Amino acid sequence: MIGSKAILFACILPGLAAAAPLAAAAQDSRRAISAQQDGAANPRRAQLEQQLRQRTGEMVKRRLGLNDDQMAKLQSTNLSFEKQRIALMMRERETRQALRAEIVAGEGANQAKVGQLLDESIQLQRQRLDLLQSEQLELGKFLSPVQRARYFGIQNEMRKRAQELRAGQDMRRRPGLRAPIAGGLNR
């Protein structure tokens, strides 16, 4: 039986297979790395993950009406941008955690540090938008505007689903965990 970690990772993998970079799912990239390492140690899991990547890629190809050349370019583009996206999300997560630690300190919070962390958070959001814009420009080289719009919708669907699965997994693992705050400060 596949563990909950494998199910979560199975939802993250489509980004690597050309379905979606899954920004929301990769926010906790340590989970993804751990799941990847677990997959290497479990051949059955690795096989299931490969099947999921393949099926997801086929679904994207079919829904977007891609030819083989477009699909190969999409996979290559996703790989390139996914590395950048994961690095950015790790920095965002570290910033959120540091900000939360300061806020939890209450009266003892370091005002200068909170200000610096807020500025950093805004800068990281700008970088995220710059990355999205760069990705869209690259996709525009081989996808029509309609294909790009459909792909953007697929990405959002998959991010939402992965986030829902992750939130459900967190609730099962830690029953006292409160619901996420918009912006993710309680992670």
Side-chain angles (χ1 to χ4, degrees), residues 3-5 7-8 11 24-25 28 31 159-180 186-187:
S4 58
K5 215 178 205 185
I7 292 170
L8 176 65
C11 290
D28 191 352
R31 284 185 193 160
R159 285 182 188 120
K160 182 179 177 189
R161 179 66 180 139
Q163 191 172 22
E164 289 169 356
L165 287 171
R166 190 176 62 245
Q169 188 178 47
D170 284 346
M171 292 299 224
R172 284 188 301 276
R173 207 178 8 234
R174 298 178 279 176
L177 186 70
R178 55 182 192 243
N186 68 335
R187 286 185 179 246

Side-chain angles (χ1 to χ4, degrees), residues 90-137:
M90 287 173 59
R91 289 179 39 218
E92 288 177 323
R93 184 172 189 268
E94 292 165 1
T95 302
R96 280 193 314 272
Q97 288 175 332
L99 183 58
R100 182 166 190 261
E102 287 297 326
I103 291 171
V104 168
E107 295 293 321
N110 179 331
Q111 297 293 326
K113 176 119 178 159
V114 169
Q116 179 248 330
L117 290 167
L118 285 171
D119 291 345
E120 187 175 329
S121 179
I122 292 167
Q123 181 60 37
L124 290 169
Q125 289 178 27
R126 275 193 196 108
Q127 289 176 17
R128 181 192 292 257
L129 289 174
D130 290 345
L131 184 63
L132 176 63
Q133 184 177 29
S134 295
E135 180 182 32
Q136 286 298 313
L137 288 172

